Each structure stands twice: as C-alpha cells, then as structure tokens.
Amino acid sequence: MTSILVLNGPNLNLLGTRQPDVYGSVTLPDVEEMCETHGKSLGMKISCLQSNHEGVLIDAIHAAKGSHAGIVLNAGAFTHTSVALMDAIASVELPVVEVHLSNIHAREAFRHKSFIAPVALGQIAGFGATGYLLALDALSAHLGRGRGA
Ligand code: DQA
C-alpha cells in the first residue's frame, strides 16, 4: 500500500478556533480523519504529523524518504519564509503537494510568495479542508495506484 505523509506546520493545530472566517471550522483531527478515509479509498496509508517547529518539519521530510511515497504539506507561515524547508524538499526528491486552506494569492502580498512552490509537484489553495483530499487525488494520479513505498 502506498504510504503518504500529511504534514502540517505552525498554528494549524489551532484549526477550528483559529480565524474560522479564513480557515473554516474543521479541526486538525477532522482534517486528518478525512485524509485517512479518503486515502484508504485510494489505496493509501496516511500518516499525519503537525509541528510548530521548523526543524521538526525538516526532520519529518528527511525521514519520509524511504518510508513514504509522497507528502501533502501545509507549511503554514513557513511557506513564505523557509529556504530550509525548500532545501529539505529538494533534497529528498519526493513528490510534494503544497496545500493551503485559504487562497494565499487573494490575501496579503507577503503570502503570495511560496518557497515551497518551486520544489513542489503543484499547489492547491483556497478550497479549505477539501484541498487536502484534492492533494491526495493528485498524488494518487502522479504515483499510479498501488505503486510507491
Ligand atoms: C495557510 C496560509 C498561510 O499564509 C498561513 O500562514 C497559515 C495557513 C493556509 O492553510 O491557508 O498558517 O497555510
């Protein structure tokens, strides 16, 4: 079965109560459960991790090489700042789909820049929690059903 890592960055542990007008009312456990259920229907085993710490996210990306076939990543605000996360993704050469609940391109100018986008397979933004499921669909199509780690 294809293993996929769903990785969430800073402040996403507060989903549900954090600016619900921007990010919606679903909680992180809701998102993770949705991913697990949808992943199962695609023949994927989903592992989930959230951290507020850049180094923990980098370690998780490194560890995914060899254990996971791809990553769904919402790097939160690190998206707009982290050369280190970009380098980590480039180093492991795993397909990464970048997800944002909100449409970062319709928000403040500082959110338009993504350090993840140049090293990602693609970016999904603005569809709320559904974006994570679309990202799994994209990885499934990219990897081919039943293949991968
Ligand atoms: C976010 C968008 C980022 O700009 C923000 O810093 C977040 C969440 C999103 O999912 O829309 O923390 O990644």
PDB file of all heavy atoms in Angstrom, residues 14-55:
ATOM      1  N   LEU A  14      -4.376  24.711  15.704  1.00  0.00           N
ATOM      2  CA  LEU A  14      -5.479  25.527  16.230  1.00  0.00           C
ATOM      3  C   LEU A  14      -6.663  25.607  15.263  1.00  0.00           C
ATOM      4  O   LEU A  14      -7.613  26.366  15.508  1.00  0.00           O
ATOM      5  CB  LEU A  14      -4.977  26.949  16.536  1.00  0.00           C
ATOM      6  CG  LEU A  14      -3.853  27.036  17.580  1.00  0.00           C
ATOM      7  CD1 LEU A  14      -3.458  28.489  17.797  1.00  0.00           C
ATOM      8  CD2 LEU A  14      -4.295  26.416  18.904  1.00  0.00           C
ATOM      9  N   LEU A  15      -6.602  24.850  14.171  1.00  0.00           N
ATOM     10  CA  LEU A  15      -7.726  24.866  13.213  1.00  0.00           C
ATOM     11  C   LEU A  15      -9.041  24.599  13.930  1.00  0.00           C
ATOM     12  O   LEU A  15      -9.101  23.744  14.824  1.00  0.00           O
ATOM     13  CB  LEU A  15      -7.540  23.787  12.140  1.00  0.00           C
ATOM     14  CG  LEU A  15      -6.661  24.125  10.945  1.00  0.00           C
ATOM     15  CD1 LEU A  15      -6.684  22.955   9.974  1.00  0.00           C
ATOM     16  CD2 LEU A  15      -7.135  25.393  10.269  1.00  0.00           C
ATOM     17  N   GLY A  16     -10.059  25.288  13.495  1.00  0.00           N
ATOM     18  CA  GLY A  16     -11.376  25.146  14.136  1.00  0.00           C
ATOM     19  C   GLY A  16     -11.682  26.358  14.981  1.00  0.00           C
ATOM     20  O   GLY A  16     -12.806  26.871  14.958  1.00  0.00           O
ATOM     21  N   THR A  17     -10.653  26.835  15.711  1.00  0.00           N
ATOM     22  CA  THR A  17     -10.857  28.034  16.536  1.00  0.00           C
ATOM     23  C   THR A  17     -10.063  29.218  15.998  1.00  0.00           C
ATOM     24  O   THR A  17     -10.341  30.361  16.322  1.00  0.00           O
ATOM     25  CB  THR A  17     -10.415  27.790  17.999  1.00  0.00           C
ATOM     26  OG1 THR A  17      -9.053  27.330  18.007  1.00  0.00           O
ATOM     27  CG2 THR A  17     -11.299  26.748  18.658  1.00  0.00           C
ATOM     28  N   ARG A  18      -9.057  28.934  15.159  1.00  0.00           N
ATOM     29  CA  ARG A  18      -8.185  29.982  14.621  1.00  0.00           C
ATOM     30  C   ARG A  18      -8.853  30.660  13.425  1.00  0.00           C
ATOM     31  O   ARG A  18      -9.085  30.033  12.396  1.00  0.00           O
ATOM     32  CB  ARG A  18      -6.879  29.329  14.177  1.00  0.00           C
ATOM     33  CG  ARG A  18      -5.953  30.256  13.462  1.00  0.00           C
ATOM     34  CD  ARG A  18      -4.851  29.484  12.754  1.00  0.00           C
ATOM     35  NE  ARG A  18      -3.932  30.408  12.144  1.00  0.00           N
ATOM     36  CZ  ARG A  18      -3.093  30.101  11.173  1.00  0.00           C
ATOM     37  NH1 ARG A  18      -3.052  28.880  10.708  1.00  0.00           N
ATOM     38  NH2 ARG A  18      -2.290  31.006  10.686  1.00  0.00           N
ATOM     39  N   GLN A  19      -9.154  31.950  13.540  1.00  0.00           N
ATOM     40  CA  GLN A  19      -9.723  32.728  12.429  1.00  0.00           C
ATOM     41  C   GLN A  19     -10.654  31.883  11.552  1.00  0.00           C
ATOM     42  O   GLN A  19     -10.378  31.687  10.356  1.00  0.00           O
ATOM     43  CB  GLN A  19      -8.594  33.307  11.563  1.00  0.00           C
ATOM     44  CG  GLN A  19      -7.689  34.292  12.279  1.00  0.00           C
ATOM     45  CD  GLN A  19      -6.559  34.742  11.363  1.00  0.00           C
ATOM     46  OE1 GLN A  19      -5.515  34.104  11.288  1.00  0.00           O
ATOM     47  NE2 GLN A  19      -6.762  35.842  10.659  1.00  0.00           N
ATOM     48  N   PRO A  20     -11.771  31.390  12.103  1.00  0.00           N
ATOM     49  CA  PRO A  20     -12.635  30.491  11.323  1.00  0.00           C
ATOM     50  C   PRO A  20     -13.192  31.129  10.056  1.00  0.00           C
ATOM     51  O   PRO A  20     -13.518  30.421   9.094  1.00  0.00           O
ATOM     52  CB  PRO A  20     -13.758  30.117  12.303  1.00  0.00           C
ATOM     53  CG  PRO A  20     -13.603  31.008  13.487  1.00  0.00           C
ATOM     54  CD  PRO A  20     -12.218  31.557  13.486  1.00  0.00           C
ATOM     55  N   ASP A  21     -13.255  32.464  10.033  1.00  0.00           N
ATOM     56  CA  ASP A  21     -13.709  33.148   8.819  1.00  0.00           C
ATOM     57  C   ASP A  21     -12.726  32.918   7.668  1.00  0.00           C
ATOM     58  O   ASP A  21     -13.115  32.903   6.488  1.00  0.00           O
ATOM     59  CB  ASP A  21     -13.884  34.661   9.083  1.00  0.00           C
ATOM     60  CG  ASP A  21     -12.689  35.266   9.826  1.00  0.00           C
ATOM     61  OD1 ASP A  21     -12.164  34.612  10.759  1.00  0.00           O
ATOM     62  OD2 ASP A  21     -12.252  36.372   9.444  1.00  0.00           O
ATOM     63  N   VAL A  22     -11.445  32.717   8.005  1.00  0.00           N
ATOM     64  CA  VAL A  22     -10.416  32.495   6.979  1.00  0.00           C
ATOM     65  C   VAL A  22     -10.187  31.006   6.749  1.00  0.00           C
ATOM     66  O   VAL A  22     -10.086  30.547   5.603  1.00  0.00           O
ATOM     67  CB  VAL A  22      -9.064  33.143   7.404  1.00  0.00           C
ATOM     68  CG1 VAL A  22      -7.983  32.870   6.352  1.00  0.00           C
ATOM     69  CG2 VAL A  22      -9.222  34.637   7.646  1.00  0.00           C
ATOM     70  N   TYR A  23     -10.123  30.239   7.852  1.00  0.00           N
ATOM     71  CA  TYR A  23      -9.671  28.845   7.741  1.00  0.00           C
ATOM     72  C   TYR A  23     -10.777  27.810   7.932  1.00  0.00           C
ATOM     73  O   TYR A  23     -10.509  26.612   7.813  1.00  0.00           O
ATOM     74  CB  TYR A  23      -8.532  28.601   8.750  1.00  0.00           C
ATOM     75  CG  TYR A  23      -7.319  29.464   8.477  1.00  0.00           C
ATOM     76  CD1 TYR A  23      -6.894  30.427   9.393  1.00  0.00           C
ATOM     77  CD2 TYR A  23      -6.615  29.342   7.279  1.00  0.00           C
ATOM     78  CE1 TYR A  23      -5.795  31.230   9.133  1.00  0.00           C
ATOM     79  CE2 TYR A  23      -5.519  30.142   7.006  1.00  0.00           C
ATOM     80  CZ  TYR A  23      -5.105  31.085   7.939  1.00  0.00           C
ATOM     81  OH  TYR A  23      -4.015  31.883   7.668  1.00  0.00           O
ATOM     82  N   GLY A  24     -11.996  28.259   8.224  1.00  0.00           N
ATOM     83  CA  GLY A  24     -13.098  27.317   8.383  1.00  0.00           C
ATOM     84  C   GLY A  24     -13.186  26.761   9.795  1.00  0.00           C
ATOM     85  O   GLY A  24     -12.381  27.102  10.673  1.00  0.00           O
ATOM     86  N   SER A  25     -14.163  25.911  10.010  1.00  0.00           N
ATOM     87  CA  SER A  25     -14.442  25.432  11.365  1.00  0.00           C
ATOM     88  C   SER A  25     -13.995  23.995  11.601  1.00  0.00           C
ATOM     89  O   SER A  25     -14.144  23.472  12.696  1.00  0.00           O
ATOM     90  CB  SER A  25     -15.935  25.571  11.662  1.00  0.00           C
ATOM     91  OG  SER A  25     -16.654  24.871  10.679  1.00  0.00           O
ATOM     92  N   VAL A  26     -13.435  23.349  10.576  1.00  0.00           N
ATOM     93  CA  VAL A  26     -12.953  21.987  10.803  1.00  0.00           C
ATOM     94  C   VAL A  26     -11.683  22.026  11.634  1.00  0.00           C
ATOM     95  O   VAL A  26     -10.875  22.945  11.518  1.00  0.00           O
ATOM     96  CB  VAL A  26     -12.684  21.188   9.500  1.00  0.00           C
ATOM     97  CG1 VAL A  26     -13.949  20.840   8.762  1.00  0.00           C
ATOM     98  CG2 VAL A  26     -11.712  21.920   8.604  1.00  0.00           C
ATOM     99  N   THR A  27     -11.528  21.018  12.476  1.00  0.00           N
ATOM    100  CA  THR A  27     -10.348  20.940  13.338  1.00  0.00           C
ATOM    101  C   THR A  27      -9.265  20.115  12.636  1.00  0.00           C
ATOM    102  O   THR A  27      -9.547  19.414  11.639  1.00  0.00           O
ATOM    103  CB  THR A  27     -10.699  20.260  14.677  1.00  0.00           C
ATOM    104  OG1 THR A  27     -11.060  18.892  14.392  1.00  0.00           O
ATOM    105  CG2 THR A  27     -11.845  20.975  15.373  1.00  0.00           C
ATOM    106  N   LEU A  28      -8.061  20.152  13.173  1.00  0.00           N
ATOM    107  CA  LEU A  28      -6.976  19.341  12.583  1.00  0.00           C
ATOM    108  C   LEU A  28      -7.301  17.841  12.675  1.00  0.00           C
ATOM    109  O   LEU A  28      -7.121  17.119  11.682  1.00  0.00           O
ATOM    110  CB  LEU A  28      -5.634  19.671  13.229  1.00  0.00           C
ATOM    111  CG  LEU A  28      -4.440  18.946  12.611  1.00  0.00           C
ATOM    112  CD1 LEU A  28      -4.267  19.292  11.136  1.00  0.00           C
ATOM    113  CD2 LEU A  28      -3.170  19.249  13.390  1.00  0.00           C
ATOM    114  N   PRO A  29      -7.801  17.353  13.827  1.00  0.00           N
ATOM    115  CA  PRO A  29      -8.194  15.926  13.845  1.00  0.00           C
ATOM    116  C   PRO A  29      -9.243  15.596  12.780  1.00  0.00           C
ATOM    117  O   PRO A  29      -9.206  14.502  12.185  1.00  0.00           O
ATOM    118  CB  PRO A  29      -8.745  15.721  15.264  1.00  0.00           C
ATOM    119  CG  PRO A  29      -8.028  16.754  16.089  1.00  0.00           C
ATOM    120  CD  PRO A  29      -7.853  17.941  15.174  1.00  0.00           C
ATOM    121  N   ASP A  30     -10.163  16.544  12.500  1.00  0.00           N
ATOM    122  CA  ASP A  30     -11.153  16.318  11.419  1.00  0.00           C
ATOM    123  C   ASP A  30     -10.440  16.157  10.077  1.00  0.00           C
ATOM    124  O   ASP A  30     -10.744  15.241   9.297  1.00  0.00           O
ATOM    125  CB  ASP A  30     -12.103  17.518  11.267  1.00  0.00           C
ATOM    126  CG  ASP A  30     -13.076  17.694  12.418  1.00  0.00           C
ATOM    127  OD1 ASP A  30     -13.338  16.709  13.125  1.00  0.00           O
ATOM    128  OD2 ASP A  30     -13.564  18.837  12.607  1.00  0.00           O
ATOM    129  N   VAL A  31      -9.501  17.061   9.809  1.00  0.00           N
ATOM    130  CA  VAL A  31      -8.758  17.034   8.538  1.00  0.00           C
ATOM    131  C   VAL A  31      -8.004  15.718   8.412  1.00  0.00           C
ATOM    132  O   VAL A  31      -8.023  15.067   7.357  1.00  0.00           O
ATOM    133  CB  VAL A  31      -7.772  18.230   8.449  1.00  0.00           C
ATOM    134  CG1 VAL A  31      -6.801  18.067   7.277  1.00  0.00           C
ATOM    135  CG2 VAL A  31      -8.527  19.545   8.343  1.00  0.00           C
ATOM    136  N   GLU A  32      -7.356  15.312   9.518  1.00  0.00           N
ATOM    137  CA  GLU A  32      -6.549  14.094   9.466  1.00  0.00           C
ATOM    138  C   GLU A  32      -7.433  12.860   9.237  1.00  0.00           C
ATOM    139  O   GLU A  32      -7.071  11.956   8.487  1.00  0.00           O
ATOM    140  CB  GLU A  32      -5.724  13.971  10.748  1.00  0.00           C
ATOM    141  CG  GLU A  32      -4.670  15.072  10.809  1.00  0.00           C
ATOM    142  CD  GLU A  32      -3.803  15.064  12.062  1.00  0.00           C
ATOM    143  OE1 GLU A  32      -4.178  14.402  13.065  1.00  0.00           O
ATOM    144  OE2 GLU A  32      -2.762  15.735  12.043  1.00  0.00           O
ATOM    145  N   GLU A  33      -8.600  12.857   9.860  1.00  0.00           N
ATOM    146  CA  GLU A  33      -9.522  11.726   9.672  1.00  0.00           C
ATOM    147  C   GLU A  33     -10.031  11.682   8.226  1.00  0.00           C
ATOM    148  O   GLU A  33     -10.124  10.610   7.618  1.00  0.00           O
ATOM    149  CB  GLU A  33     -10.688  11.844  10.658  1.00  0.00           C
ATOM    150  CG  GLU A  33     -11.459  10.552  10.809  1.00  0.00           C
ATOM    151  CD  GLU A  33     -12.659  10.710  11.734  1.00  0.00           C
ATOM    152  OE1 GLU A  33     -12.528  11.355  12.792  1.00  0.00           O
ATOM    153  OE2 GLU A  33     -13.734  10.217  11.352  1.00  0.00           O
ATOM    154  N   MET A  34     -10.354  12.872   7.690  1.00  0.00           N
ATOM    155  CA  MET A  34     -10.792  12.948   6.284  1.00  0.00           C
ATOM    156  C   MET A  34      -9.707  12.387   5.358  1.00  0.00           C
ATOM    157  O   MET A  34     -10.003  11.663   4.400  1.00  0.00           O
ATOM    158  CB  MET A  34     -11.071  14.410   5.885  1.00  0.00           C
ATOM    159  CG  MET A  34     -12.339  14.994   6.449  1.00  0.00           C
ATOM    160  SD  MET A  34     -12.357  16.821   6.294  1.00  0.00           S
ATOM    161  CE  MET A  34     -12.362  17.030   4.529  1.00  0.00           C
ATOM    162  N   CYS A  35      -8.455  12.744   5.655  1.00  0.00           N
ATOM    163  CA  CYS A  35      -7.328  12.272   4.823  1.00  0.00           C
ATOM    164  C   CYS A  35      -7.198  10.763   4.919  1.00  0.00           C
ATOM    165  O   CYS A  35      -6.980  10.076   3.910  1.00  0.00           O
ATOM    166  CB  CYS A  35      -6.025  12.942   5.258  1.00  0.00           C
ATOM    167  SG  CYS A  35      -5.905  14.674   4.768  1.00  0.00           S
ATOM    168  N   GLU A  36      -7.326  10.237   6.152  1.00  0.00           N
ATOM    169  CA  GLU A  36      -7.182   8.789   6.327  1.00  0.00           C
ATOM    170  C   GLU A  36      -8.270   8.043   5.557  1.00  0.00           C
ATOM    171  O   GLU A  36      -8.003   7.049   4.877  1.00  0.00           O
ATOM    172  CB  GLU A  36      -7.214   8.436   7.815  1.00  0.00           C
ATOM    173  CG  GLU A  36      -5.843   8.651   8.463  1.00  0.00           C
ATOM    174  CD  GLU A  36      -5.889   8.812   9.977  1.00  0.00           C
ATOM    175  OE1 GLU A  36      -6.856   8.313  10.599  1.00  0.00           O
ATOM    176  OE2 GLU A  36      -4.963   9.439  10.522  1.00  0.00           O
ATOM    177  N   THR A  37      -9.504   8.532   5.657  1.00  0.00           N
ATOM    178  CA  THR A  37     -10.629   7.878   4.978  1.00  0.00           C
ATOM    179  C   THR A  37     -10.473   7.963   3.463  1.00  0.00           C
ATOM    180  O   THR A  37     -10.608   6.964   2.742  1.00  0.00           O
ATOM    181  CB  THR A  37     -11.958   8.548   5.397  1.00  0.00           C
ATOM    182  OG1 THR A  37     -12.051   8.472   6.810  1.00  0.00           O
ATOM    183  CG2 THR A  37     -13.160   7.879   4.764  1.00  0.00           C
ATOM    184  N   HIS A  38     -10.141   9.163   2.978  1.00  0.00           N
ATOM    185  CA  HIS A  38     -10.005   9.338   1.528  1.00  0.00           C
ATOM    186  C   HIS A  38      -8.801   8.548   1.020  1.00  0.00           C
ATOM    187  O   HIS A  38      -8.863   7.926  -0.047  1.00  0.00           O
ATOM    188  CB  HIS A  38      -9.869  10.823   1.190  1.00  0.00           C
ATOM    189  CG  HIS A  38      -9.989  11.099  -0.270  1.00  0.00           C
ATOM    190  ND1 HIS A  38     -11.136  10.855  -0.990  1.00  0.00           N
ATOM    191  CD2 HIS A  38      -9.081  11.570  -1.174  1.00  0.00           C
ATOM    192  CE1 HIS A  38     -10.941  11.174  -2.262  1.00  0.00           C
ATOM    193  NE2 HIS A  38      -9.695  11.616  -2.392  1.00  0.00           N
ATOM    194  N   GLY A  39      -7.717   8.574   1.803  1.00  0.00           N
ATOM    195  CA  GLY A  39      -6.514   7.833   1.425  1.00  0.00           C
ATOM    196  C   GLY A  39      -6.819   6.348   1.279  1.00  0.00           C
ATOM    197  O   GLY A  39      -6.389   5.712   0.310  1.00  0.00           O
ATOM    198  N   LYS A  40      -7.575   5.828   2.209  1.00  0.00           N
ATOM    199  CA  LYS A  40      -7.924   4.399   2.161  1.00  0.00           C
ATOM    200  C   LYS A  40      -8.636   4.075   0.849  1.00  0.00           C
ATOM    201  O   LYS A  40      -8.350   3.065   0.204  1.00  0.00           O
ATOM    202  CB  LYS A  40      -8.824   4.054   3.365  1.00  0.00           C
ATOM    203  CG  LYS A  40      -8.804   2.587   3.725  1.00  0.00           C
ATOM    204  CD  LYS A  40      -9.631   2.296   4.973  1.00  0.00           C
ATOM    205  CE  LYS A  40      -8.886   2.615   6.258  1.00  0.00           C
ATOM    206  NZ  LYS A  40      -9.710   2.357   7.464  1.00  0.00           N
ATOM    207  N   SER A  41      -9.545   4.965   0.423  1.00  0.00           N
ATOM    208  CA  SER A  41     -10.290   4.722  -0.822  1.00  0.00           C
ATOM    209  C   SER A  41      -9.371   4.766  -2.043  1.00  0.00           C
ATOM    210  O   SER A  41      -9.712   4.254  -3.100  1.00  0.00           O
ATOM    211  CB  SER A  41     -11.427   5.735  -0.973  1.00  0.00           C
ATOM    212  OG  SER A  41     -10.913   6.999  -1.370  1.00  0.00           O
ATOM    213  N   LEU A  42      -8.194   5.397  -1.883  1.00  0.00           N
ATOM    214  CA  LEU A  42      -7.228   5.477  -2.986  1.00  0.00           C
ATOM    215  C   LEU A  42      -6.126   4.422  -2.841  1.00  0.00           C
ATOM    216  O   LEU A  42      -5.166   4.419  -3.609  1.00  0.00           O
ATOM    217  CB  LEU A  42      -6.582   6.872  -3.010  1.00  0.00           C
ATOM    218  CG  LEU A  42      -7.487   8.063  -3.303  1.00  0.00           C
ATOM    219  CD1 LEU A  42      -6.757   9.370  -3.022  1.00  0.00           C
ATOM    220  CD2 LEU A  42      -7.980   8.024  -4.745  1.00  0.00           C
ATOM    221  N   GLY A  43      -6.263   3.567  -1.826  1.00  0.00           N
ATOM    222  CA  GLY A  43      -5.232   2.553  -1.590  1.00  0.00           C
ATOM    223  C   GLY A  43      -3.994   3.117  -0.930  1.00  0.00           C
ATOM    224  O   GLY A  43      -2.887   2.604  -1.113  1.00  0.00           O
ATOM    225  N   MET A  44      -4.180   4.180  -0.154  1.00  0.00           N
ATOM    226  CA  MET A  44      -3.043   4.836   0.505  1.00  0.00           C
ATOM    227  C   MET A  44      -3.124   4.687   2.010  1.00  0.00           C
ATOM    228  O   MET A  44      -4.209   4.798   2.596  1.00  0.00           O
ATOM    229  CB  MET A  44      -3.057   6.350   0.211  1.00  0.00           C
ATOM    230  CG  MET A  44      -2.793   6.721  -1.209  1.00  0.00           C
ATOM    231  SD  MET A  44      -3.172   8.469  -1.435  1.00  0.00           S
ATOM    232  CE  MET A  44      -2.236   8.814  -2.913  1.00  0.00           C
ATOM    233  N   LYS A  45      -1.956   4.505   2.626  1.00  0.00           N
ATOM    234  CA  LYS A  45      -1.869   4.525   4.082  1.00  0.00           C
ATOM    235  C   LYS A  45      -1.367   5.921   4.459  1.00  0.00           C
ATOM    236  O   LYS A  45      -0.293   6.338   4.015  1.00  0.00           O
ATOM    237  CB  LYS A  45      -0.891   3.443   4.553  1.00  0.00           C
ATOM    238  CG  LYS A  45      -0.828   3.308   6.042  1.00  0.00           C
ATOM    239  CD  LYS A  45       0.203   2.246   6.441  1.00  0.00           C
ATOM    240  CE  LYS A  45       0.333   2.139   7.943  1.00  0.00           C
ATOM    241  NZ  LYS A  45       0.544   3.414   8.612  1.00  0.00           N
ATOM    242  N   ILE A  46      -2.147   6.619   5.254  1.00  0.00           N
ATOM    243  CA  ILE A  46      -1.834   8.019   5.577  1.00  0.00           C
ATOM    244  C   ILE A  46      -1.219   8.119   6.968  1.00  0.00           C
ATOM    245  O   ILE A  46      -1.764   7.583   7.944  1.00  0.00           O
ATOM    246  CB  ILE A  46      -3.131   8.881   5.543  1.00  0.00           C
ATOM    247  CG1 ILE A  46      -3.894   8.699   4.215  1.00  0.00           C
ATOM    248  CG2 ILE A  46      -2.813  10.338   5.834  1.00  0.00           C
ATOM    249  CD1 ILE A  46      -3.184   9.200   2.991  1.00  0.00           C
ATOM    250  N   SER A  47      -0.077   8.804   7.064  1.00  0.00           N
ATOM    251  CA  SER A  47       0.488   9.160   8.372  1.00  0.00           C
ATOM    252  C   SER A  47       0.364  10.673   8.501  1.00  0.00           C
ATOM    253  O   SER A  47       0.596  11.392   7.527  1.00  0.00           O
ATOM    254  CB  SER A  47       1.966   8.833   8.483  1.00  0.00           C
ATOM    255  OG  SER A  47       2.273   7.635   7.871  1.00  0.00           O
ATOM    256  N   CYS A  48       0.021  11.125   9.708  1.00  0.00           N
ATOM    257  CA  CYS A  48      -0.177  12.562   9.911  1.00  0.00           C
ATOM    258  C   CYS A  48       0.763  13.088  10.981  1.00  0.00           C
ATOM    259  O   CYS A  48       0.990  12.426  12.001  1.00  0.00           O
ATOM    260  CB  CYS A  48      -1.614  12.854  10.341  1.00  0.00           C
ATOM    261  SG  CYS A  48      -2.835  12.361   9.114  1.00  0.00           S
ATOM    262  N   LEU A  49       1.286  14.284  10.751  1.00  0.00           N
ATOM    263  CA  LEU A  49       2.141  14.946  11.739  1.00  0.00           C
ATOM    264  C   LEU A  49       1.913  16.446  11.650  1.00  0.00           C
ATOM    265  O   LEU A  49       1.792  16.989  10.541  1.00  0.00           O
ATOM    266  CB  LEU A  49       3.613  14.616  11.468  1.00  0.00           C
ATOM    267  CG  LEU A  49       4.617  15.228  12.445  1.00  0.00           C
ATOM    268  CD1 LEU A  49       4.570  14.513  13.793  1.00  0.00           C
ATOM    269  CD2 LEU A  49       6.038  15.150  11.881  1.00  0.00           C
ATOM    270  N   GLN A  50       1.831  17.084  12.806  1.00  0.00           N
ATOM    271  CA  GLN A  50       1.786  18.559  12.848  1.00  0.00           C
ATOM    272  C   GLN A  50       2.863  19.027  13.811  1.00  0.00           C
ATOM    273  O   GLN A  50       3.078  18.431  14.866  1.00  0.00           O
ATOM    274  CB  GLN A  50       0.400  19.032  13.335  1.00  0.00           C
ATOM    275  CG  GLN A  50       0.193  20.547  13.305  1.00  0.00           C
ATOM    276  CD  GLN A  50       0.724  21.282  14.532  1.00  0.00           C
ATOM    277  OE1 GLN A  50       0.771  20.719  15.624  1.00  0.00           O
ATOM    278  NE2 GLN A  50       1.131  22.518  14.360  1.00  0.00           N
ATOM    279  N   SER A  51       3.560  20.098  13.425  1.00  0.00           N
ATOM    280  CA  SER A  51       4.513  20.696  14.358  1.00  0.00           C
ATOM    281  C   SER A  51       4.564  22.200  14.165  1.00  0.00           C
ATOM    282  O   SER A  51       4.405  22.700  13.041  1.00  0.00           O
ATOM    283  CB  SER A  51       5.908  20.104  14.168  1.00  0.00           C
ATOM    284  OG  SER A  51       6.805  20.751  15.054  1.00  0.00           O
ATOM    285  N   ASN A  52       4.816  22.886  15.266  1.00  0.00           N
ATOM    286  CA  ASN A  52       5.013  24.335  15.210  1.00  0.00           C
ATOM    287  C   ASN A  52       6.483  24.688  15.015  1.00  0.00           C
ATOM    288  O   ASN A  52       6.829  25.871  15.000  1.00  0.00           O
ATOM    289  CB  ASN A  52       4.477  24.976  16.493  1.00  0.00           C
ATOM    290  CG  ASN A  52       2.978  24.813  16.601  1.00  0.00           C
ATOM    291  OD1 ASN A  52       2.261  24.952  15.609  1.00  0.00           O
ATOM    292  ND2 ASN A  52       2.482  24.505  17.791  1.00  0.00           N
ATOM    293  N   HIS A  53       7.336  23.660  14.870  1.00  0.00           N
ATOM    294  CA  HIS A  53       8.785  23.870  14.848  1.00  0.00           C
ATOM    295  C   HIS A  53       9.378  23.492  13.489  1.00  0.00           C
ATOM    296  O   HIS A  53       9.213  22.362  13.018  1.00  0.00           O
ATOM    297  CB  HIS A  53       9.437  23.061  15.970  1.00  0.00           C
ATOM    298  CG  HIS A  53       8.858  23.393  17.310  1.00  0.00           C
ATOM    299  ND1 HIS A  53       9.261  24.477  18.043  1.00  0.00           N
ATOM    300  CD2 HIS A  53       7.834  22.830  17.995  1.00  0.00           C
ATOM    301  CE1 HIS A  53       8.539  24.556  19.154  1.00  0.00           C
ATOM    302  NE2 HIS A  53       7.662  23.562  19.144  1.00  0.00           N
ATOM    303  N   GLU A  54      10.074  24.426  12.914  1.00  0.00           N
ATOM    304  CA  GLU A  54      10.633  24.246  11.567  1.00  0.00           C
ATOM    305  C   GLU A  54      11.533  23.009  11.491  1.00  0.00           C
ATOM    306  O   GLU A  54      11.454  22.227  10.532  1.00  0.00           O
ATOM    307  CB  GLU A  54      11.420  25.517  11.212  1.00  0.00           C
ATOM    308  CG  GLU A  54      11.824  25.632   9.762  1.00  0.00           C
ATOM    309  CD  GLU A  54      12.482  26.985   9.489  1.00  0.00           C
ATOM    310  OE1 GLU A  54      12.874  27.691  10.440  1.00  0.00           O
ATOM    311  OE2 GLU A  54      12.608  27.318   8.296  1.00  0.00           O
ATOM    312  N   GLY A  55      12.402  22.833  12.508  1.00  0.00           N
ATOM    313  CA  GLY A  55      13.336  21.701  12.492  1.00  0.00           C
ATOM    314  C   GLY A  55      12.622  20.359  12.545  1.00  0.00           C
ATOM    315  O   GLY A  55      13.074  19.387  11.918  1.00  0.00           O
TER     316      GLY A  55
END
